[in-house]
Amino acid sequence: MLKRSLFIAAAFGLFVVADAGCKKQEESTAPDEVAESTPKKKGVSEDNEDSMVAAGPSSSEGEGEAPPATTDMDAAVAKEDAKVKKPEVKEVCKTKTVGKGKAKKKETTCEMVDSNPKLSASIGVSSLIKGFEWGMSPEQVLAKLGESINKYFDDQLKETKNPMDQDRIRKERNDQLNELKKGHIKFASSSKHKWGVSLIQYEFADDNNEEMIWVKEGSKLRKFYFFKDGQLWKIVYAFNKEKWPDKDYAGVVDGSFKKWFGVNPAAKVKQDPKTAAVLLRYNEWTGEKNEKVRSFDMTEVHGVVVVAVVDGVQETSIGERLPNIKGDDKFTDTVGDVLGTSDVAYDEKGNIIEGKNPAK
């Protein structure tokens, strides 16, 4: 029997441009998302946060047949490429004299320069959040996500003639739709929710008319849709670091994010206002409509690489919210972190295999 726990969201893509620097970077395409092999017994509601916010894989994971991947970045980008002309990217080299006297010499440095970085960022954002628009209500986002679930199971029903199998597919569809609704969270301190000790703890404020819808897409991705006063203003993508098993964060930025959003992100630093100590370093891309894309290395504490896409217009009134990655977060014994550990096994070549990784 097929077992599925996949929440199917809108497809998103990457924008491919040249790698940064004089040396040719090793190309890295974003792997397809892989569906989890067995469904969880509990849902993603606040009532079941212990099962989803805390996280290790069960011994039964890896059994059963997994549905096909649902996020194909390359295919989404190919469609966008047919519609939008890419900005030109050129290598620009500069020569300068360094040293003094006999040690004096000329050095040449090169970098890739985007002719229209804002357009590149906007194309990347459009591919990533395709199907969603800023200002959408939680109900509209739930409906959009529900459309994808219905389409997935409708396709299964078309290929199935056995009445018992059809009944099973309909039941699984209803279960998925119910789980989707359970992922709708309203941030109120009175609810005693546990999201204040998760990787998104700095992305929201309690008792401020804020909400969230979150979904799991396979074992390597969580998507968080944030709302203020009933309007979508931010989407956070938390990728398990094993999505790129052969790369560190810098390699992911150079090999993937700069292709998705452009080769010239701004290097940002957040400092302690009293001591000037560096609290956070991150990359930021700005689009034509002031949409912001930020990438964060949260692998040390949470085991994830995060991409946040923000409506810059709404952020002006809400305020900039950035994560804390210094490693001083305190967790209880029962609450770990959303996607804080891996629940998928790999072979020595980095390919996904069934069962628990024997190295763990």
Side-chain angles (χ1 to χ4, degrees), residues 312-330:
V313 176
Q314 292 192 69
E315 186 182 54
T316 301
S317 59
I318 296 171
E320 186 178 73
R321 294 176 180 174
L322 302 173
N324 177 6
I325 62 169
K326 296 303 293 181
D328 55 358
D329 298 329
K330 304 300 181 183

Side-chain angles (χ1 to χ4, degrees), residues 16-28 89-93 109-114 250-260 262-265 283 285:
V16 181
V17 296
D19 285 325
C22 294
K23 295 182 179 180
K24 182 178 180 181
Q25 299 281 351
E26 177 185 356
E27 287 196 359
S28 171
V89 177
K90 289 184 177 181
E91 184 178 53
V92 176
C93 297
T109 58
C110 303
E111 66 176 344
M112 305 306 295
V113 177
D114 194 327
V252 173
V253 172
D254 288 339
S256 294
F257 295 166
K258 287 183 179 180
K259 294 179 179 179
W260 302 2
V263 298
N264 302 128
N283 294 297
W285 294 258

Side-chain angles (χ1 to χ4, degrees), residues 16 39 45 61 63 72 77 89 101 103 108 126 128 156 160 171 175 189 231 247 252 256 271 276 290 326 329:
V16 181
S45 67
E61 286 190 353
E63 300 175 359
D72 187 342
V77 168
V89 177
T108 300
S126 178
L128 191 63
Q156 298 298 310
T160 305
K171 181 180 183 302
D175 290 343
S189 56
Q231 295 187 330
K247 295 185 181 299
V252 173
S256 294
Q271 296 176 286
N290 201 32
K326 296 303 293 181
D329 298 329

Side-chain angles (χ1 to χ4, degrees), residues 203-219:
E203 304 286 356
F204 66 89
D206 278 331
D207 306 319
N208 195 38
N209 201 23
E210 298 188 29
E211 304 171 57
M212 173 184 74
I213 295 170
W214 79 283
V215 296
K216 298 171 63 180
E217 187 167 311
S219 300

